[in-house]
Tab-separated table of all heavy atoms in Angstrom:
chain	number	residue	atom	x	y	z
S	45	PRO	N	64.660	119.556	83.406
S	45	PRO	CA	64.607	118.179	82.923
S	45	PRO	C	64.101	117.226	84.012
S	45	PRO	O	64.424	117.385	85.193
S	45	PRO	CB	66.063	117.865	82.562
S	45	PRO	CG	66.642	119.197	82.222
S	45	PRO	CD	65.983	120.158	83.192
S	46	MET	N	63.301	116.257	83.589
S	46	MET	CA	62.668	115.335	84.541
S	46	MET	C	63.644	114.773	85.562
S	46	MET	O	63.357	114.757	86.752
S	46	MET	CB	61.993	114.187	83.785
S	46	MET	CG	60.724	114.573	83.097
S	46	MET	SD	59.896	113.111	82.468
S	46	MET	CE	59.874	113.469	80.738
S	47	ILE	N	64.796	114.324	85.114
S	47	ILE	CA	65.754	113.690	86.029
S	47	ILE	C	66.265	114.677	87.081
S	47	ILE	O	66.559	114.302	88.213
S	47	ILE	CB	66.917	113.019	85.259
S	47	ILE	CG1	67.641	112.050	86.193
S	47	ILE	CG2	67.834	114.048	84.630
S	47	ILE	CD1	68.571	111.093	85.476
S	48	MET	N	66.329	115.945	86.722
S	48	MET	CA	66.827	116.957	87.658
S	48	MET	C	65.872	117.182	88.827
S	48	MET	O	66.295	117.591	89.906
S	48	MET	CB	67.111	118.263	86.926
S	48	MET	CG	68.194	118.145	85.859
S	48	MET	SD	69.792	117.578	86.489
S	48	MET	CE	70.397	119.107	87.150
S	49	HIS	N	64.593	116.885	88.642
S	49	HIS	CA	63.644	116.976	89.759
S	49	HIS	C	64.059	116.013	90.875
S	49	HIS	O	64.011	116.367	92.057
S	49	HIS	CB	62.216	116.668	89.286
S	49	HIS	CG	61.602	117.774	88.489
S	49	HIS	ND1	60.914	118.813	89.052
S	49	HIS	CD2	61.593	117.989	87.145
S	49	HIS	CE1	60.488	119.626	88.107
S	49	HIS	NE2	60.898	119.156	86.943
S	50	LEU	N	64.467	114.809	90.500
S	50	LEU	CA	64.940	113.830	91.495
S	50	LEU	C	66.226	114.299	92.159
S	50	LEU	O	66.381	114.190	93.375
S	50	LEU	CB	65.190	112.472	90.835
S	50	LEU	CG	63.997	111.573	90.666
S	50	LEU	CD1	64.351	110.386	89.779
S	50	LEU	CD2	63.476	111.100	92.007
S	51	PHE	N	67.143	114.804	91.355
S	51	PHE	CA	68.427	115.270	91.904
S	51	PHE	C	68.206	116.410	92.902
S	51	PHE	O	68.859	116.463	93.940
S	51	PHE	CB	69.358	115.748	90.789
S	51	PHE	CG	69.867	114.659	89.869
S	51	PHE	CD1	70.542	114.990	88.716
S	51	PHE	CD2	69.677	113.313	90.152
S	51	PHE	CE1	71.034	114.017	87.858
S	51	PHE	CE2	70.157	112.317	89.303
S	51	PHE	CZ	70.837	112.679	88.159
S	52	ARG	N	67.300	117.306	92.579
S	52	ARG	CA	67.034	118.430	93.495
S	52	ARG	C	66.306	117.980	94.757
S	52	ARG	O	66.518	118.539	95.827
S	52	ARG	CB	66.224	119.511	92.780
S	52	ARG	CG	67.080	120.290	91.817
S	52	ARG	CD	66.470	121.613	91.488
S	52	ARG	NE	67.388	122.369	90.636
S	52	ARG	CZ	67.030	123.422	89.960
S	52	ARG	NH1	65.789	123.863	90.030
S	52	ARG	NH2	67.908	124.060	89.217
S	53	LYS	N	65.447	116.992	94.612
S	53	LYS	CA	64.696	116.503	95.770
S	53	LYS	C	65.604	115.753	96.739
S	53	LYS	O	65.427	115.829	97.948
S	53	LYS	CB	63.544	115.592	95.307
S	53	LYS	CG	62.646	115.146	96.445
S	53	LYS	CD	61.332	114.661	95.929
S	53	LYS	CE	60.375	114.337	97.030
S	53	LYS	NZ	59.929	115.468	97.826
S	54	TYR	N	66.595	115.025	96.206
S	54	TYR	CA	67.478	114.206	97.034
S	54	TYR	C	68.946	114.505	96.746
S	54	TYR	O	69.680	113.635	96.264
S	54	TYR	CB	67.189	112.718	96.802
S	54	TYR	CG	65.767	112.344	97.102
S	54	TYR	CD1	64.893	111.951	96.095
S	54	TYR	CD2	65.295	112.369	98.412
S	54	TYR	CE1	63.581	111.602	96.388
S	54	TYR	CE2	63.984	112.028	98.702
S	54	TYR	CZ	63.137	111.647	97.688
S	54	TYR	OH	61.844	111.306	97.982
S	55	PRO	N	69.413	115.699	97.025
S	55	PRO	CA	70.793	116.062	96.665
S	55	PRO	C	71.861	115.288	97.412
S	55	PRO	O	73.009	115.220	96.957
S	55	PRO	CB	70.858	117.551	97.005
S	55	PRO	CG	69.823	117.749	98.056
S	55	PRO	CD	68.723	116.778	97.734
S	56	ASP	N	71.517	114.650	98.521
S	56	ASP	CA	72.502	113.930	99.333
S	56	ASP	C	72.547	112.432	99.042
S	56	ASP	O	73.324	111.712	99.661
S	56	ASP	CB	72.210	114.161	100.817
S	56	ASP	CG	70.822	113.682	101.226
S	56	ASP	OD1	69.897	113.683	100.375
S	56	ASP	OD2	70.644	113.298	102.391
S	57	LYS	N	71.745	111.950	98.096
S	57	LYS	CA	71.704	110.513	97.784
S	57	LYS	C	72.736	110.163	96.717
S	57	LYS	O	73.248	111.015	96.008
S	57	LYS	CB	70.307	110.111	97.300
S	57	LYS	CG	69.185	110.448	98.262
S	57	LYS	CD	69.321	109.759	99.583
S	57	LYS	CE	68.159	110.115	100.501
S	57	LYS	NZ	68.399	109.767	101.884
S	58	LYS	N	73.028	108.880	96.612
S	58	LYS	CA	73.912	108.353	95.567
S	58	LYS	C	73.018	107.805	94.462
S	58	LYS	O	72.231	106.897	94.693
S	58	LYS	CB	74.808	107.258	96.135
S	58	LYS	CG	75.765	107.785	97.173
S	58	LYS	CD	76.568	106.670	97.794
S	58	LYS	CE	77.539	107.294	98.759
S	58	LYS	NZ	77.578	106.737	100.049
S	59	PHE	N	73.136	108.390	93.286
S	59	PHE	CA	72.290	108.010	92.155
S	59	PHE	C	73.029	107.053	91.226
S	59	PHE	O	74.207	107.256	90.932
S	59	PHE	CB	71.869	109.251	91.370
S	59	PHE	CG	70.841	110.082	92.081
S	59	PHE	CD1	71.232	111.090	92.949
S	59	PHE	CD2	69.494	109.848	91.894
S	59	PHE	CE1	70.302	111.856	93.612
S	59	PHE	CE2	68.550	110.606	92.559
S	59	PHE	CZ	68.952	111.617	93.423
S	60	ILE	N	72.303	106.063	90.772
S	60	ILE	CA	72.787	105.161	89.730
S	60	ILE	C	71.780	105.320	88.596
S	60	ILE	O	70.621	104.940	88.730
S	60	ILE	CB	72.869	103.708	90.218
S	60	ILE	CG1	73.768	103.621	91.451
S	60	ILE	CG2	73.366	102.804	89.086
S	60	ILE	CD1	73.638	102.332	92.239
S	61	VAL	N	72.212	105.939	87.517
S	61	VAL	CA	71.331	106.290	86.412
S	61	VAL	C	71.554	105.297	85.279
S	61	VAL	O	72.690	105.091	84.838
S	61	VAL	CB	71.606	107.732	85.933
S	61	VAL	CG1	70.704	108.093	84.766
S	61	VAL	CG2	71.448	108.721	87.084
S	62	ILE	N	70.461	104.697	84.813
S	62	ILE	CA	70.533	103.759	83.685
S	62	ILE	C	70.137	104.520	82.428
S	62	ILE	O	69.022	105.018	82.323
S	62	ILE	CB	69.597	102.556	83.881
S	62	ILE	CG1	69.917	101.834	85.182
S	62	ILE	CG2	69.697	101.617	82.680
S	62	ILE	CD1	68.878	100.786	85.580
S	63	GLY	N	71.063	104.621	81.488
S	63	GLY	CA	70.800	105.289	80.217
S	63	GLY	C	70.778	104.292	79.079
S	63	GLY	O	71.334	103.204	79.179
S	64	ASP	N	70.137	104.668	77.973
S	64	ASP	CA	70.072	103.823	76.787
S	64	ASP	C	69.950	104.722	75.564
S	64	ASP	O	70.952	105.087	74.971
S	64	ASP	CB	68.891	102.855	76.901
S	64	ASP	CG	68.695	101.991	75.666
S	64	ASP	OD1	69.482	102.093	74.710
S	64	ASP	OD2	67.746	101.200	75.643
S	65	TYR	N	68.743	105.144	75.237
S	65	TYR	CA	68.484	105.972	74.063
S	65	TYR	C	69.270	107.282	74.180
S	65	TYR	O	69.185	107.971	75.190
S	65	TYR	CB	66.978	106.237	73.944
S	65	TYR	CG	66.607	107.204	72.856
S	65	TYR	CD1	66.766	106.860	71.518
S	65	TYR	CD2	66.099	108.449	73.162
S	65	TYR	CE1	66.432	107.749	70.516
S	65	TYR	CE2	65.750	109.346	72.163
S	65	TYR	CZ	65.922	108.990	70.842
S	65	TYR	OH	65.589	109.871	69.849
S	66	LEU	N	70.042	107.582	73.160
S	66	LEU	CA	70.906	108.767	73.136
S	66	LEU	C	71.739	108.850	74.414
S	66	LEU	O	71.846	109.896	75.060
S	66	LEU	CB	70.086	110.038	72.900
S	66	LEU	CG	69.405	110.117	71.520
S	66	LEU	CD1	68.509	111.345	71.422
S	66	LEU	CD2	70.430	110.113	70.394
S	67	TYR	N	72.354	107.740	74.741
S	67	TYR	CA	73.183	107.601	75.940
S	67	TYR	C	74.253	108.688	76.016
S	67	TYR	O	74.487	109.269	77.076
S	67	TYR	CB	73.826	106.206	75.945
S	67	TYR	CG	74.732	105.942	77.118
S	67	TYR	CD1	74.214	105.440	78.302
S	67	TYR	CD2	76.100	106.182	77.036
S	67	TYR	CE1	75.032	105.179	79.394
S	67	TYR	CE2	76.929	105.933	78.120
S	67	TYR	CZ	76.394	105.428	79.291
S	67	TYR	OH	77.206	105.181	80.363
S	68	ASP	N	74.896	108.968	74.882
S	68	ASP	CA	75.964	109.972	74.872
S	68	ASP	C	75.447	111.364	75.227
S	68	ASP	O	76.130	112.141	75.900
S	68	ASP	CB	76.692	109.994	73.522
S	68	ASP	CG	75.759	110.273	72.348
S	68	ASP	OD1	74.580	109.864	72.396
S	68	ASP	OD2	76.204	110.909	71.368
S	69	VAL	N	74.223	111.694	74.829
S	69	VAL	CA	73.621	112.986	75.169
S	69	VAL	C	73.376	113.054	76.674
S	69	VAL	O	73.696	114.050	77.320
S	69	VAL	CB	72.304	113.206	74.380
S	69	VAL	CG1	71.595	114.475	74.838
S	69	VAL	CG2	72.581	113.250	72.880
S	70	LEU	N	72.829	111.986	77.236
S	70	LEU	CA	72.593	111.928	78.682
S	70	LEU	C	73.909	112.031	79.443
S	70	LEU	O	74.019	112.782	80.420
S	70	LEU	CB	71.853	110.637	79.054
S	70	LEU	CG	71.517	110.441	80.524
S	70	LEU	CD1	70.582	111.536	81.035
S	70	LEU	CD2	70.887	109.062	80.739
S	71	ASP	N	74.911	111.310	78.986
S	71	ASP	CA	76.222	111.325	79.634
S	71	ASP	C	76.800	112.749	79.656
S	71	ASP	O	77.241	113.234	80.699
S	71	ASP	CB	77.157	110.365	78.899
S	71	ASP	CG	78.520	110.225	79.558
S	71	ASP	OD1	78.626	110.416	80.788
S	71	ASP	OD2	79.488	109.913	78.831
S	72	LYS	N	76.774	113.415	78.526
S	72	LYS	CA	77.316	114.778	78.446
S	72	LYS	C	76.525	115.742	79.324
S	72	LYS	O	77.096	116.590	80.010
S	72	LYS	CB	77.325	115.269	76.994
S	72	LYS	CG	78.378	114.599	76.144
S	72	LYS	CD	78.275	115.022	74.692
S	72	LYS	CE	79.239	114.200	73.854
S	72	LYS	NZ	79.046	114.422	72.421
S	73	TYR	N	75.210	115.612	79.315
S	73	TYR	CA	74.373	116.501	80.105
S	73	TYR	C	74.652	116.319	81.602
S	73	TYR	O	74.848	117.291	82.332
S	73	TYR	CB	72.884	116.254	79.817
S	73	TYR	CG	72.003	117.208	80.578
S	73	TYR	CD1	71.671	118.445	80.041
S	73	TYR	CD2	71.550	116.902	81.854
S	73	TYR	CE1	70.904	119.355	80.756
S	73	TYR	CE2	70.778	117.804	82.576
S	73	TYR	CZ	70.456	119.020	82.025
S	73	TYR	OH	69.707	119.911	82.740
S	74	LEU	N	74.657	115.073	82.056
S	74	LEU	CA	74.896	114.813	83.477
S	74	LEU	C	76.285	115.281	83.894
S	74	LEU	O	76.457	115.855	84.972
S	74	LEU	CB	74.714	113.330	83.795
S	74	LEU	CG	73.297	112.777	83.660
S	74	LEU	CD1	73.269	111.290	83.976
S	74	LEU	CD2	72.311	113.536	84.520
S	75	HIS	N	77.263	115.034	83.039
S	75	HIS	CA	78.634	115.462	83.343
S	75	HIS	C	78.701	116.971	83.559
S	75	HIS	O	79.411	117.454	84.441
S	75	HIS	CB	79.585	115.018	82.234
S	75	HIS	CG	81.013	115.366	82.496
S	75	HIS	ND1	81.775	114.702	83.419
S	75	HIS	CD2	81.804	116.334	81.965
S	75	HIS	CE1	82.981	115.241	83.456
S	75	HIS	NE2	83.030	116.226	82.582
S	76	LYS	N	77.951	117.702	82.770
S	76	LYS	CA	77.998	119.162	82.838
S	76	LYS	C	77.106	119.747	83.939
S	76	LYS	O	77.490	120.716	84.592
S	76	LYS	CB	77.591	119.747	81.487
S	76	LYS	CG	77.697	121.247	81.422
S	76	LYS	CD	78.029	121.696	80.027
S	76	LYS	CE	78.150	123.173	79.923
S	76	LYS	NZ	79.476	123.686	80.075
S	77	PHE	N	75.927	119.142	84.187
S	77	PHE	CA	74.943	119.805	85.041
S	77	PHE	C	74.571	119.070	86.335
S	77	PHE	O	74.007	119.697	87.232
S	77	PHE	CB	73.658	120.079	84.256
S	77	PHE	CG	73.856	121.027	83.117
S	77	PHE	CD1	73.834	120.574	81.812
S	77	PHE	CD2	74.066	122.378	83.348
S	77	PHE	CE1	74.017	121.446	80.751
S	77	PHE	CE2	74.255	123.258	82.292
S	77	PHE	CZ	74.227	122.796	80.992
């Protein structure tokens, strides 16, 4: 997933992710992975 490319590139950074469309899907995915 596109967002995971950023997470892998910068694993030591603090991310603030802005969600909107299908927010609950994004929330569940991030929580799990």
